[in-house]
Amino acid sequence: TARPRSRGGEKSLCGSGAGDIVCVILSPQYSPVLVGGYLSLVEAAKKALPSAAAVCVAGTWHALPAFVDALASRIQQALERLPEPQRCHVPLLMTAHSMPKAVIDRDPEYIGMLLETASLAAERCGLPEDRWQLAYQSAGHQPVEWLKPDIKDLFPGLRENGHERVLVVPVQFL
């Protein structure tokens, strides 16, 4: 996986008078694999800053009310675009970046945060638990076991059960 590289922006921040720098990683849920690389970049960038510069990294924000409200609002907007009979029955697949199962076995907190985000958004929309499920996407090409269910594996079963539409809701991708 490609990782972003520092381009010296940390120096120009301090050069323009910034004394406090807050980093927000655009992954609402924490995973050492997904977020760890970004944290390493922040630590490396801090070394180029004057010692007086304060740098902090915002923690997880998967259950932040503003984020959950935004998800719920987008879900409601999407449902309102559907014809009335489908609006009340279309299944929702709440999706997140897949990971090797072995990584999650060592640190299962990621899945708990994903489920919390999805549950809170569904609850805000008044959706019953049997109307949505968590699914994964973007599994890598390494020959290891990845988290299941993969979103693409769910589509045939949904079609067989008579669903012509499905609403895909990324709760981890921005």
Side-chain angles (χ1 to χ4, degrees):
T1 305
R3 295 280 184 214
R5 294 191 181 113
S6 172
R7 297 187 184 178
E10 62 278 354
K11 291 178 185 174
S12 62
L13 279 172
C14 290
S16 64
D20 297 327
I21 300 170
V22 178
C23 303
V24 179
I25 297 171
L26 296 181
S27 178
Q29 302 83 10
Y30 177 80
S31 153
V33 171
L34 294 174
V35 176
Y38 296 111
L39 294 175
S40 296
L41 288 170
V42 170
E43 287 304 312
K46 282 169 59 172
K47 293 175 184 168
L49 297 174
S51 59
V55 177
C56 70
V57 178
T60 61
W61 45 281
H62 67 285
L64 191 68
F67 175 59
V68 174
D69 288 344
L71 279 174
S73 175
R74 298 294 292 172
I75 291 168
Q76 289 169 331
Q77 289 172 17
L79 290 173
E80 287 169 5
R81 286 190 213 118
L82 296 173
E84 187 57 47
Q86 292 177 339
R87 184 179 303 170
C88 298
H89 302 290
V90 67
L92 281 74
L93 298 179
M94 308 278 199
T95 65
H97 201 294
S98 191
M99 301 252 238
K101 186 177 178 312
V103 170
I104 297 303
D105 289 344
R106 288 190 307 268
D107 187 15
E109 189 177 2
Y110 174 67
I111 292 177
M113 286 185 272
L114 291 171
L115 285 169
E116 184 178 8
T117 302
S119 295
L120 287 169
E123 182 181 299
R124 288 239 184 23
C125 292
L127 299 172
E129 288 184 25
D130 64 350
R131 177 93 180 268
W132 65 272
Q133 76 177 93
L134 186 61
Y136 301 96
Q137 61 187 73
S138 302
H141 299 289
Q142 299 164 330
V144 297
E145 184 179 359
W146 289 79
L147 293 176
K148 300 259 187 251
D150 189 290
I151 187 172
K152 66 181 178 291
D153 296 334
L154 295 176
F155 291 137
L158 290 168
R159 182 71 166 157
E160 288 169 11
N161 287 329
H163 295 288
E164 295 179 8
R165 297 176 187 225
V166 62
L167 179 57
V168 177
V169 181
V171 298
Q172 193 269 326
F173 296 96
L174 293 185

